[in-house]
Amino acid sequence: MVQSNGAELTEHEAELYDRQIRLWGLDSQKRLRSARILISGVNGLGAEIAKNIILAGVKSVTLLDDRKVTEEDYCSQFLAPQSSAGSNRAEASLTRAQNLNPMVELKADTESLDTKEDAYFMNFDVVCLIGASTAQHLRVNAICREANVKFFATDVWGMYGFSFADLQKHEFAEDVAKYVVVSKPNEKPKSETVNTTVKCTVEYPSYQSLVDFDFRDASYARRLKRNGPALPVQRVLQKFRDQEQRDPAYGKREEDLKKLLQLRDELAPEFITDQSFDHVFAQISPVAAIVGGAVAHEIIKVVSQKERPHRNMFLFDPESCCGFVDLIGAEK
């Protein structure tokens, strides 16, 4: 048994996580092994995040979801078998999730996010919300800031995806490469790369900064032109969820397209085309994998305190088939 920073790894765990230990070090793996993660919303995106977090070897993962498995989940929710249609999504995902890594403690919570007291979220090191309303994001983020719990909000609508991170004041170690001249005088110049580990601290704004951010401001025009309309589209889709208390549904495609275009005309008529909402129904599996992989990687970096996390928003734009990181509500 090896002990460091209050965490322990058995010989079997050290063997299982050998490749990861070689990648980011033993201390980082021990931090992962003591991390408690809450994933609220076990749709296709939630399944991708859970898979990667469980395989990384955290202490525990709680899957919080009061919704049932539906036909819409068949597109991307691979943890819940199709035979579980009609049953709770979190419970239906447990067996396959546990098979990924029997060493991780898994729990299914079938209650609603809104029923949870403030103290509930303080039991975790990282809270990740999927499919939440703006009001839910703001409430849980405020609780997490008070308790110094790392907060992520993320979603996928069809082929659009985003994630937002509020890590408050985050400390981490980063390897910085420097070139050192090793040649002697009068010899042909020769240099070597030397990696030095430095400690860094970065502060993150709250989710309120995203809500208050005005993408129509002239100061954002250049980034909007370079990155495309992914942020305005995210704002419209989130507004749709807040008003309708659901996401756009393929069973109501024509009706929902009209509502989305109405919201577009209210919020961002000059930035979003009529065709931008053609592919926002259900969750497309490859996009859930891309966004889920990015979010899970960020959670791993945050928990292990290794490498610089994204600051503070990741957006995936299907028009360019590219993801990019954008800083919203803070200065560089």
Side-chain angles (χ1 to χ4, degrees):
M1 303 279 285
V2 187
Q3 186 170 352
S4 176
N5 299 325
E8 297 180 346
L9 285 183
T10 64
E11 290 183 6
H12 181 55
E13 288 172 330
E15 182 180 353
L16 177 64
Y17 303 127
D18 178 68
R19 292 200 328 181
Q20 295 172 190
I21 292 171
R22 293 173 186 271
L23 178 63
W24 52 57
L26 183 60
D27 283 342
S28 293
Q29 185 63 45
K30 290 176 182 177
R31 294 188 189 100
L32 275 171
R33 197 69 188 95
S34 62
R36 302 157 301 168
I37 314 296
L38 172 65
I39 299 175
S40 174
V42 197
N43 52 20
L45 176 59
E48 287 285 354
I49 296 171
K51 175 199 71 176
N52 291 311
I53 295 299
I54 292 168
L55 289 173
V58 297
K59 176 182 175 64
S60 67
V61 175
T62 298
L63 305 176
L64 173 64
D65 202 326
D66 64 334
R67 299 183 182 182
K68 307 295 184 183
V69 178
T70 66
E71 187 181 44
E72 189 172 317
D73 290 310
Y74 300 168
C75 296
S76 56
Q77 219 293 20
F78 53 85
L79 291 180
Q82 294 188 14
S83 58
S84 65
S87 60
N88 177 268
R89 243 182 353 192
E91 290 182 332
S93 302
L94 269 187
T95 300
R96 289 182 176 178
Q98 190 67 79
N99 289 338
L100 293 170
N101 191 342
M103 293 187 179
V104 176
E105 300 171 16
L106 290 184
K107 178 184 177 182
D109 191 329
T110 61
E111 295 184 357
S112 161
L113 178 64
D114 288 330
T115 65
K116 296 303 182 183
E117 302 284 345
D118 293 7
Y120 176 80
F121 302 98
M122 300 176 187
N123 295 319
F124 303 96
D125 299 297
V126 177
V127 170
C128 180
L129 300 190
I130 304 162
S133 66
T134 299
Q136 289 171 328
H137 283 142
L138 291 172
R139 175 190 170 239
V140 176
N141 183 218
I143 297 168
C144 290
R145 288 185 73 85
E146 185 70 24
N148 196 28
V149 174
K150 308 303 184 184
F151 172 85
F152 287 84
T154 182
D155 262 301
V156 166
W157 291 274
M159 295 183 67
Y160 280 95
F162 92 100
S163 71
F164 177 90
D166 176 11
L167 310 181
Q168 296 104 52
K169 187 176 182 179
H170 181 62
E171 298 178 351
F172 61 95
E174 184 178 33
D175 291 334
V176 178
K178 294 183 179 180
Y179 295 97
V180 178
V181 177
V182 295
S183 56
K184 297 179 181 179
N186 302 322
E187 290 184 348
K188 184 178 180 180
K190 182 181 179 181
S191 62
E192 291 182 353
T193 303
V194 178
N195 290 322
T196 305
T197 301
V198 296
K199 293 184 178 181
C200 307
T201 301
V202 180
E203 294 193 9
Y204 286 69
S206 68
Y207 189 84
Q208 185 69 54
S209 65
L210 175 60
V211 176
D212 296 338
F213 185 75
D214 185 5
F215 54 78
R216 293 165 295 191
D217 191 272
S219 61
Y220 190 67
R222 181 175 296 179
R223 281 192 283 167
L224 192 62
K225 182 178 180 181
R226 179 179 69 245
N227 297 330
L231 181 58
V233 169
Q234 183 271 337
R235 185 70 59 84
V236 170
L237 290 166
Q238 186 69 48
K239 187 73 172 179
F240 180 97
R241 176 184 293 164
D242 292 341
Q243 290 187 355
E244 303 296 325
Q245 297 184 347
R246 63 176 178 84
D247 287 336
Y250 59 83
K252 299 181 178 180
R253 180 182 175 86
E254 296 304 320
E255 175 187 341
D256 286 354
L257 276 173
K258 290 180 181 179
K259 292 177 181 178
L260 287 167
L261 291 175
Q262 289 174 356
L263 289 172
R264 184 276 313 266
D265 293 340
E266 295 174 13
L267 299 173
E270 65 273 36
F271 301 118
I272 305 174
T273 66
D274 290 354
Q275 292 74 37
S276 295
F277 300 113
D278 287 347
H279 304 292
V280 299
F281 302 91
Q283 292 192 341
I284 307 302
S285 183
V287 179
I290 293 169
V291 179
V295 174
H297 188 208
E298 291 305 297
I299 293 175
I300 291 170
K301 287 195 291 185
V302 167
V303 170
S304 65
Q305 295 181 287
K306 186 75 172 177
E307 299 183 28
R308 182 179 298 270
H310 291 163
R311 185 171 181 255
N312 52 351
M313 195 167 187
F314 172 82
L315 291 147
F316 182 81
D317 184 3
E319 293 187 14
S320 61
C321 283
C322 289
F324 61 91
V325 178
D326 209 354
L327 179 58
I328 301 297
E331 295 182 359
K332 294 183 179 180

